[in-house]
Amino acid sequence: MLFKKPPREIRQPEYEPGWMQIMVWRSRMLDNLRPQPRRELMEAWRRLMQAKLKSRVPLNSTQALQCRRLLEYLSDQRISLQEDHNVKPLSAADLAMARQVLLEIEPSETTQHHLDFARALYKAWMDGDFAQKPRAVELQWTYLVRALSLYGGGVEAKEMLYEKWDMTEYAVYLTQEDQLLEVVARALAREGHEVELLQLAEHAEIRGIALDANLQSVLVQYFASRDRIAETKAWFAKPIEKPQCHPNTYRAIASFAKRNNLQEWAMPYFIELGESTPRKRYWDVLLQSILLMGRSLSQVGTMMDHMVDRSGDIKPTVHTVNGLLSVAVELKDYKLGQDVLQLGDDKGINMNGESYMQMMRLCIEAQDFDRAHHAYEQVKYLEPWGSDSNSDLQPQFGRLLNHYLTTLAKQTPPNFPLILSILNSIEELGLRLEPATISSLCLRFLENDQHFDVMDILSINTFLFSEAEREVVQSAFIQFCLDPKTSTSRAWGGYQLLQQFFEDTSFERRTQLMEAFFARKRPDMAAHVFGHMRQHRSKSLHPRMETYITCLEGFTRYPDLAGLEMVHNMLKMDTTVQTNTKLQTALMMAFAACDKPLKALEFWSQITQSQEGPSYATLEAVFWTLERKPGGHKMAREIWDRIERMDLEISARVYNAYIGAVAGAGSEKEIRALIMKMPAVVGIEPEPMTIAIAYNALPGRELQNEFQTWAKLRYKSQWEEITKVGRKMNEYSLCQFKIERNLRAEA
C-alpha cells in the first residue's frame, strides 16, 4: 500500500546519565579487566548525581551499592597514584551532591546499601582535606545522623547522639538547628524500635532536656497508631514546655479516639483547645477532630464562623476544607467528601489542586471513575506543587496515580486508552511508577495482547529500578508464564519479554519455565528456554547435569527431534558436564521417544562398556526402547537371559518393560506366560499397568482382542481398574490405554 502506516518503533531502554558507565566499570572490575580512566568515572558520578537532583528520582539500593563501591575505588590513593597526577580527587562539591541526593529526595527504598553509602560519604569527607570551613566537621556529623535516621539506621543514629551529647559544639544540633533529637526519635518510631525510643526520651529528660511538643508528638503518634490506649493517654497527658501540644498530636488523638470509642475521653481536650483561642492551624485540626468525634458537618460549619485567635477573627481557607476532606478520606465516606466541598462552596472557598487530590482518593475508593478522572485532570492542570522541589505534594500525587492505575487494572475489562493516557502523563510529569503497579499493568496488557505497550513500560521503568524492585516485576512475569490458566501463546510472549528485559532471571526460574513449557506439551518452546540458558554470557546460568537430564526427560514425554538434536549438540560441546549412566539413560529414552531406537541403543552400548554400568532405570529404558524397535524382542531376551544368569533382584517396573519389549514381537501366548510368572520373579501380582503395557505393545487388533479376552477372565480386577483410564486410537488404528509410563533417568 502506498500510504501504509509505518511499523511502531520499540522504545530503547532508558538509563540515567552516568549510570551505564558505572555499571560497565563494575563489570570490568568483576572480570579483572582494566577499568575506565578515573576522569571518566568521576564525570559519570557527577552526571548521575546532577540528573537525580534535577529529576528527583531517588537513589535505589543497587545504585547505592555501586556508588559506594565506586567512591571507595576513587578514594583509594594507591589507584590514584598509578594514573595521571593531574586528575584531581572527588571534590567537596561532588560529595555534597551525593549527600543531597540521599537526604533531599524522598527514598523509594531504605536498605543497608543506603546506610553503607552514607557512612562511606562521611568517611571520604573526613579522610579528605575539606575541614577548613567553620563547624564543617560537626555539620558532616549531622548529615550522617540524618541519613542513618532516614534509611533505617535509627538505633545507630541514637548511639551517635549519645556519643556527642555532652559536647558543647554538638549540643546546638540536638534541639535547635537540626532538631536531631526529634529526627532520631521519628526514625526509631518508624522502624518500630519502641525500647530504644523510650530510652531516648528518658535520656533526654535525665540530661535536662524538657519534653517538648515535637518529641511528645512522635511518642503519642507511635502509641496511638498501634491503639495502645494506656500509653497514648499517658504521653498525651505529660506536661510539656509549651502550653499546647503539636497540631499533629491533636489530629492523631482524634483518629485514635474514633477507632477506640474514646470520644468522651478526648472531647474535653478539644473543647479546651477551642477555648484557648489558638492559631489558624490549630483551628483546622480542631475542626477535623470535631468531625471525627461525631459532630455533624453543619455544626463544623457553624464553628467555622466563630474561629478567633488573639488578633481577631479567622477566616476558613482552602487548607481548612482540605483538612476536612482528609477526614472523609480517612473514614472512606464519599458522601461526606461531597458535603465538605459544598460547605466550602457555600463559604466562597474555591478548590485547589490538593483538594482535587483528596477528592480523587475518595472517588477511586468509591469506584466513581468518571469523577476520579475529572479530579485527576484538574490536579494535572493545576500542578499544586508548582516550582517547589521540596513540596511533598508531587510525590503524593505519584503514589495516588499508582493506586489509581492498579485500581483501573483490576476492572473488567480495563479502560486501556485511559491507562495509556495516564502513563503518558506520569512520564511527562517525571513521576515514578512503583514495581507493583508495573507488574499489574503489564499482565493486563499481556492478557490483551498489547505487547508493544508492555515493552514501552518496561523500557522506560525497569532499568531505573534496583535489583529488589526488578525482582517484583520479574516475579509477576514468571507467575504469569507458569499459570496453567495463561494460554500457551501468551505465556510464550511473556517469556520472550522476560528474556529481553530480565537477563538476570535466576537459574532455578529458568528451569521452572522450561518444565512449564514441557507441561504445556510444547517441547519446541522448552528447547528454546534451554538454549537461552546455554547461550547466556553468565556461566552461573548455564545448564548443569540435572538440567540436561530434566530436559531429556521432557523430550521423553513430549518428543521433538529438532529440539533434542539441538540439546544433544550443546551437550557434546559442553566441557563442564561429564557423562554418566544417568545422563546416557536420559539420552536413550529421549531418542527412543523421538523414534530413533538405533541411535538410542548406541547409548546402551556406551553404558554397558562404562565402569559405572547400567542402573535399574537403564534396564527399564532399554526394554522400552526395544519395544519401539522392530525385532527388538530378540535383544530384549538376550538382556533378560544375562539378568537371570546374574541372579539380579528385579523391580516390577523393569519386568513390566521387559513384557512390553517381548509383546512388541506379537507373541501373545508368551506374554501370558510372563505375566503369570510375575509373582515368582518379582514377588508381587501383576498390576493394572502390567496388563496395559502388554496390551498397548501388541502389534495387531486381533492379538489385542485375544489378550483382552484372556486378561478379563484371569485378571478381572486389574482389567477393570485399567479400563477406567480410557483408551484412544494411535496412528496405526490400534487401541491404546491412556497410561503415563513416567520413565525417569534414575529409578
Side-chain angles (χ1 to χ4, degrees):
M1 288 175 63
L2 185 61
F3 299 108
K4 185 178 179 182
K5 189 177 179 180
R8 176 170 170 177
E9 290 187 7
I10 299 170
R11 293 186 63 158
Q12 294 303 306
E14 296 186 11
Y15 299 93
E16 290 178 279
W19 178 237
M20 184 51 74
Q21 288 85 344
I22 294 173
M23 290 303 292
V24 169
W25 165 79
R26 181 60 186 163
S27 177
R28 288 183 179 179
M29 295 296 285
L30 289 173
D31 293 337
N32 291 319
L33 299 174
R34 184 181 178 85
Q36 307 100 302
R38 290 177 75 247
R39 191 190 302 274
E40 287 184 23
L41 294 173
M42 290 164 70
E43 184 59 30
W45 169 283
R46 293 182 188 116
R47 288 173 61 209
L48 177 63
M49 299 307 167
Q50 287 167 355
K52 286 198 170 291
L53 289 173
K54 183 179 178 182
S55 66
R56 313 304 291 176
V57 173
L59 193 78
N60 67 48
S61 58
T62 302
Q63 289 173 331
L65 170 64
Q66 302 308 344
C67 286
R68 194 253 310 160
R69 287 170 170 164
L70 178 60
L71 176 61
E72 290 170 350
Y73 173 82
L74 293 174
S75 303
D76 192 331
Q77 294 299 317
R78 293 170 300 171
I79 294 168
S80 61
L81 289 171
Q82 295 169 10
E83 296 197 22
D84 186 356
H85 295 282
N86 295 323
V87 179
K88 295 180 181 179
L90 285 170
S91 66
D94 295 327
L95 299 178
M97 273 197 299
R99 187 195 69 237
Q100 282 180 276
V101 169
L102 276 178
L103 293 180
E104 295 178 12
I105 302 174
E106 183 179 340
S108 59
E109 297 176 287
T110 54
T111 66
Q112 185 63 40
H113 296 315
H114 290 95
L115 297 174
D116 293 340
F117 185 41
R119 294 189 197 100
L121 281 171
Y122 179 70
K123 182 177 184 299
W125 196 94
M126 295 299 286
D127 292 345
D129 187 22
F130 307 126
Q132 297 89 354
K133 293 182 180 179
R135 298 200 301 173
V137 174
E138 292 87 347
L139 277 172
Q140 294 300 322
W141 176 82
T142 66
Y143 297 147
L144 179 58
V145 172
R146 286 169 57 200
L148 294 175
S149 301
L150 187 59
Y151 290 98
V155 175
E156 185 181 346
K158 176 180 79 84
E159 296 303 322
M160 288 182 67
L161 287 191
Y162 285 0
E163 287 174 13
K164 307 290 186 183
W165 199 285
D166 297 322
M167 296 185 186
T168 310
E169 61 270 30
Y170 290 94
V172 67
Y173 298 106
L174 291 179
T175 57
Q176 296 175 35
E177 288 193 12
D178 281 53
Q179 295 282 328
L180 288 184
L181 179 59
E182 181 193 347
V183 168
V184 174
R186 287 198 182 282
L188 293 170
R190 189 168 53 246
E191 295 163 25
H193 295 301
E194 182 179 321
V195 173
E196 289 80 2
L197 175 60
L198 294 174
Q199 285 174 350
L200 181 63
E202 183 184 2
H203 188 85
E205 186 179 359
I206 292 170
R207 297 303 177 100
I209 298 177
L211 182 68
D212 65 3
N214 291 335
L215 185 56
Q216 184 201 37
S217 179
V218 173
L219 288 154
V220 170
Q221 288 183 68
Y222 175 81
F223 289 113
S225 65
R226 289 159 175 77
D227 292 328
R228 301 264 290 276
I229 295 172
E231 293 92 337
T232 304
K233 287 182 176 181
W235 280 104
F236 183 54
K238 280 203 176 223
I240 58 173
E241 281 186 313
K242 296 180 181 178
Q244 288 173 332
C245 299
H246 195 283
N248 292 344
T249 306
Y250 284 110
R251 184 66 175 79
I253 286 293
S255 296
F256 163 77
K258 171 74 174 174
R259 289 194 305 273
N260 294 281
N261 295 316
L262 293 171
Q263 290 91 335
E264 289 186 15
W265 165 79
M267 201 63 193
Y269 293 106
F270 298 122
I271 294 171
E272 181 186 350
L273 177 62
E275 291 171 347
S276 68
T277 60
R279 286 174 292 171
K280 166 73 168 52
R281 60 179 185 152
Y282 281 95
W283 275 110
D284 287 347
V285 167
L286 181 56
L287 294 173
Q288 297 165 37
S289 303
I290 294 299
L291 194 56
L292 280 165
M293 290 299 97
R295 298 297 187 266
S296 69
L297 193 59
S298 61
Q299 290 174 297
V300 172
T302 304
M303 188 178 288
M304 270 187 192
D305 298 329
H306 297 88
M307 296 192 299
V308 291
D309 64 9
R310 292 189 178 116
S311 58
D313 291 345
I314 299 173
K315 296 294 182 186
T317 64
V318 69
H319 297 296
T320 310
V321 173
N322 289 342
L324 295 175
L325 283 173
S326 73
V327 174
V329 170
E330 182 179 331
L331 299 176
K332 297 181 180 178
D333 191 333
Y334 183 48
K335 176 70 167 56
L336 177 60
Q338 291 179 314
D339 292 343
V340 168
L341 291 181
Q342 185 60 52
L343 176 65
D345 195 46
D346 294 343
K347 302 285 184 186
I349 300 170
N350 294 322
M351 292 175 70
N352 66 4
E354 189 176 352
S355 314
Y356 283 110
M357 281 174 61
Q358 298 283 29
M359 278 311 298
M360 191 175 160
R361 287 190 182 93
L362 280 170
C363 293
I364 293 169
E365 197 67 39
Q367 305 277 298
D368 186 347
F369 294 115
D370 290 337
R371 286 185 175 163
H373 183 65
H374 172 71
Y376 153 72
E377 291 289 352
Q378 291 298 318
V379 179
K380 195 172 70 166
Y381 172 73
L382 293 168
E383 291 194 2
W385 47 88
S387 58
D388 182 6
S389 61
N390 293 319
S391 170
D392 65 346
L393 288 177
Q394 191 168 16
Q396 278 185 41
F397 187 50
R399 289 191 289 272
L400 180 56
L401 285 183
N402 275 274
H403 175 52
Y404 188 26
L405 285 170
T406 50
T407 307
L408 288 173
K410 291 174 184 174
Q411 303 308 301
T412 306
N415 187 339
F416 289 111
L418 174 58
I419 289 173
L420 289 170
S421 74
I422 296 171
L423 288 172
N424 289 333
S425 298
I426 285 176
E427 189 179 354
E428 288 169 11
L429 293 169
L431 299 176
R432 185 177 186 273
L433 278 176
E434 299 293 334
T437 309
I438 289 176
S439 301
S440 59
L441 290 177
C442 285
L443 297 193
R444 296 317 296 264
F445 280 132
L446 282 174
E447 289 166 3
N448 203 43
D449 298 321
Q450 293 178 236
H451 289 84
F452 282 104
D453 293 314
V454 177
M455 293 165 80
D456 283 350
I457 294 174
L458 295 177
S459 294
I460 297 166
N461 296 283
T462 53
F463 296 100
L464 303 177
F465 285 165
S466 67
E467 286 184 24
E469 290 171 323
R470 283 170 59 83
E471 174 74 17
V472 173
V473 184
Q474 187 187 126
S475 295
F477 272 81
I478 296 284
Q479 286 302 117
F480 179 78
C481 295
L482 297 180
D483 188 351
K485 296 176 185 174
T486 304
S487 72
T488 300
S489 64
R490 286 177 179 156
W492 180 244
Y495 169 74
Q496 288 180 307
L497 291 166
L498 264 175
Q499 175 65 13
Q500 182 176 348
F501 289 95
F502 296 93
E503 281 194 356
D504 51 345
T505 303
S506 69
F507 173 84
E508 292 74 18
R509 284 179 161 176
R510 289 172 184 269
T511 306
Q512 273 185 303
L513 288 163
M514 180 186 73
E515 292 173 336
F517 283 115
F518 273 124
R520 291 176 181 273
K521 302 182 181 180
R522 288 304 302 264
D524 53 333
M525 294 177 178
H528 279 295
V529 177
F530 183 93
H532 292 149
M533 292 175 74
R534 183 68 182 87
Q535 293 157 6
H536 202 281
R537 61 184 177 180
S538 173
K539 291 183 179 178
S540 65
L541 298 178
H542 286 192
R544 302 164 194 168
M545 170 78 78
E546 298 76 22
T547 323
Y548 279 102
I549 291 168
T550 300
C551 184
L552 292 168
E553 288 178 342
F555 285 126
T556 303
R557 295 191 301 277
Y558 307 106
D560 179 66
L561 183 59
L564 172 59
E565 288 177 337
M566 180 191 80
V567 171
H568 188 215
N569 288 333
M570 288 178 175
L571 174 60
K572 287 189 280 189
M573 300 292 289
D574 194 339
T575 57
T576 64
V577 176
Q578 298 296 318
T579 58
N580 59 13
T581 294
K582 189 175 176 182
L583 182 57
Q584 288 173 320
T585 300
L587 283 164
M588 177 165 55
M589 295 188 310
F591 275 101
C594 292
D595 293 324
K596 294 289 181 182
L598 292 176
K599 178 71 177 176
L601 289 172
E602 291 178 14
F603 299 108
W604 165 251
S605 300
Q606 292 172 23
I607 291 169
T608 56
Q609 293 165 18
S610 70
Q611 188 174 359
E612 189 179 357
S615 65
Y616 282 109
T618 311
L619 294 174
E620 183 182 4
V622 73
F623 285 136
W624 183 70
T625 302
L626 293 169
E627 177 186 331
R628 306 169 75 84
K629 177 184 177 295
H633 61 285
K634 295 178 183 177
M635 186 174 175
R637 289 193 184 99
E638 292 172 8
I639 295 170
W640 185 256
D641 288 343
R642 287 167 62 189
I643 290 171
E644 286 190 318
R645 286 198 300 271
M646 294 171 72
D647 196 22
L648 291 177
E649 186 177 332
I650 296 299
S651 68
R653 289 183 65 93
V654 173
Y655 195 74
N656 287 343
Y658 173 58
I659 288 172
V662 174
S667 181
E668 191 256 335
K669 291 181 180 177
E670 185 178 355
I671 293 304
R672 295 184 195 178
L674 288 172
I675 291 172
M676 288 188 289
K677 279 174 59 181
M678 189 169 179
V681 177
V682 181
I684 61 170
E685 287 292 322
E687 307 162 316
M689 182 63 81
T690 311
I691 305 298
I693 289 172
Y695 180 87
N696 285 357
L698 287 167
R701 183 77 64 82
E702 191 175 331
L703 290 170
Q704 286 183 329
N705 290 338
E706 289 176 10
F707 180 78
Q708 176 175 332
T709 303
W710 172 78
K712 274 184 177 179
L713 293 171
R714 186 68 189 249
Y715 298 103
K716 183 179 179 181
S717 62
Q718 289 92 327
W719 183 264
E720 288 175 352
E721 186 67 29
I722 199 61
T723 52
K724 292 177 184 177
V725 303
R727 284 184 270 190
K728 62 181 180 181
M729 300 290 284
N730 68 6
E731 62 269 33
Y732 305 112
S733 299
L734 292 175
C735 267
Q736 301 281 290
F737 283 110
K738 297 176 183 177
I739 56 170
E740 292 285 341
R741 296 288 287 269
N742 291 323
L743 279 91
R744 291 280 184 267
E746 189 171 41

